[in-house]
Amino acid sequence: QTSVNRELLHAMNDAVAHRGPDGAGLFCENAIGLGHRRLSIIDLSDASSQPMFLNDRYVMVYNGEIYNYLEIKEELVAAGFTFKTSGDSEVLLVAYHHWGTECLQRFNGMWSFAIYDREKQILFCSRDRFGVKPFYYTEHNGSLYFGSEIKQLLAAGIKPVAEKEIVTDYLVLGLEEYDHRTFFKNIYRLLPGHKLVIDLNSGKRSIEKYYHLKISNQASGWDLETASSEYFNELQRSVKYRLRSDVRVGTCLSGGLDSSVIAALAARNYKHHSGESFNAITASSVDQQNDEVVYAKQVADASGLNWHITRPSSGDFMDSIDEVVKVQEEPFGSPSIFMQYFVMKEARRQGCPVLLDGQGGDKTLLGYKRYYPAYLKSLSPVKKIQGLFNSSK
């Protein structure tokens, strides 16, 4: 297309008003249209509103947070750049101007963004390394549409048709994520750790993987004490980065290993810098066998948390089904999503728009039984037999 339908772009933007209740903005120029809904976390002033412009050359829409933006900003200031805002959005944009696509290698954070280079007539898009932030896209009537949620693409006129193979694999095998395809036919996700570049003059589009996990030989000689110390230091640094915010921050506290460690570390750091108690929210189950409130209470008491409990009833679950399905957009594998939904509602009610969540600890620490075979394989023959008997207990 040679021009953008502004009303359609407005409709796409409004479809995700819940993601950004603090502001909205549109940009239209020739065949490019960019929309943004803002949730203010760092630099609450209008100076960090989006779409954001730089040097009258770049235009950016961005969802996420670059946690190490202060460190990157120091580098850029030393290189001669000046900044108009105190937020991470401008740092991202200046970093792209300075380093080009290599800026991705310097970011520590979660993001989905699109940067329009008016001079080179290029649209550069990226999704963070592990896909924390969503990025969906589709082609329709000769145009490329993208957004943070599938419902934005439906607002652009895409018909919701099921991708039968994906639905079948979900029903038979329980697979929730497959490849770049979604449960919706002709609607795709930009995969984690990938970048999308579009040449607006030729229409040529390329998708490349920019992030590759590398095996480090440095850790191979560590003993358990050294490995534990290094892990703990990195975990502390990671939590410290994620507490950079100009609004209240809290956490989901289930009482399990992941969230308990995050809550304990964050509480100490948050209290030191803000003088306030760290906020934690726990969903209590009506089923006593599945209720972990007793464990969450131990963490809350030990860490001096500002602790809130939400207790959804079976009726609340029934009443929320339509809303949860609408929010999730695609099928999910566990009813725990409903508990998370009630935690998020309580967080908003408590005026806590940012939650530092503990997810993935069981994966990084190999805490699931499916990891046993890989561990046993690494042992000597005698220890393999001993380990096999121990793991079967």
Side-chain angles (χ1 to χ4, degrees), residues 47-48 94 143 157-158 191 220 231 248 324 336 338 348 363 367:
S48 284
V94 173
S143 296
I158 309 301
L191 290 175
S220 60
Y231 186 92
R248 291 181 75 191
V324 171
S336 64
F338 283 89
R348 172 53 72 179
K363 284 82 171 176

Side-chain angles (χ1 to χ4, degrees), residues 22 38-50 52 62 64-70 73 85-91 241-249 353-354:
D22 300 327
R38 186 183 183 195
L39 175 65
S40 302
I41 298 175
I42 297 174
D43 187 359
L44 309 186
S45 71
D46 290 340
S48 284
S49 295
Q50 297 184 44
M52 179 172 279
Y62 154 55
E65 190 174 350
I66 305 300
Y67 300 126
N68 63 334
Y69 77 101
L70 292 177
K73 188 174 185 177
T85 73
S86 60
D88 61 323
S89 300
E90 187 182 11
V91 172
Y241 270 4
R242 284 156 178 77
L243 290 177
R244 291 173 171 175
S245 171
D246 292 329
V247 295
R248 291 181 75 191
V249 183
V354 178

Side-chain angles (χ1 to χ4, degrees), residues 248-255 259-260 262-264 266-267 270 277-283 296-297 299-301 303-310 343 346-347 350 352 354-357:
R248 291 181 75 191
V249 183
T251 188
C252 307
L253 178 61
S254 69
S259 64
S260 296
I262 297 293
Y270 195 74
S277 296
F278 195 57
N279 300 281
I281 301 164
T282 300
K297 185 179 187 304
V299 177
D301 291 344
S303 301
L305 297 173
N306 184 22
W307 189 39
H308 308 277
I309 303 175
T310 178
V343 167
E346 180 64 20
Q350 295 294 338
C352 189
V354 178
L355 293 178
L356 173 55
D357 216 351

Side-chain angles (χ1 to χ4, degrees), residues 287-300:
D287 183 354
Q288 293 299 315
Q289 288 184 329
N290 296 323
D291 195 14
E292 297 180 324
V293 167
V294 62
Y295 304 113
K297 185 179 187 304
Q298 292 177 19
V299 177

Side-chain angles (χ1 to χ4, degrees), residues 130-233:
F130 298 107
V132 179
K133 288 300 181 180
F135 189 110
Y136 297 99
Y137 66 94
T138 188
E139 286 189 67
H140 180 60
N141 293 336
S143 296
L144 180 77
Y145 298 89
F146 62 89
S148 294
E149 295 191 10
I150 291 174
K151 58 178 63 69
Q152 289 176 279
L153 308 184
L154 301 182
I158 309 301
K159 293 183 179 179
V161 179
E163 182 65 75
K164 292 182 180 179
E165 183 182 358
I166 305 297
V167 173
T168 300
D169 283 348
Y170 170 76
L171 294 175
V172 177
L173 302 174
L175 293 180
E176 297 173 56
E177 288 200 22
Y178 203 74
D179 46 27
H180 68 294
R181 292 175 293 172
T182 68
F183 283 85
F184 292 78
K185 195 174 184 65
N186 298 325
I187 292 181
Y188 309 99
R189 61 169 61 89
L190 184 62
L191 290 175
H194 281 66
K195 60 184 179 182
L196 164 65
V197 181
I198 302 172
D199 186 322
L200 299 170
N201 289 321
S202 66
K204 184 179 179 181
R205 185 180 78 204
S206 65
I207 296 177
E208 296 178 14
K209 187 173 183 178
Y210 68 83
Y211 178 66
H212 303 269
L213 276 172
K214 297 178 181 178
I215 297 176
S216 172
N217 295 324
Q218 180 185 0
S220 60
W222 289 350
D223 57 22
L224 181 60
E225 185 177 347
T226 303
S228 299
S229 176
E230 290 291 331
Y231 186 92
F232 183 65
N233 290 338

Side-chain angles (χ1 to χ4, degrees), residues 74-88:
E74 282 185 12
E75 271 193 86
L76 294 170
V77 168
F81 292 95
T82 57
F83 290 82
K84 299 177 181 177
T85 73
S86 60
D88 61 323

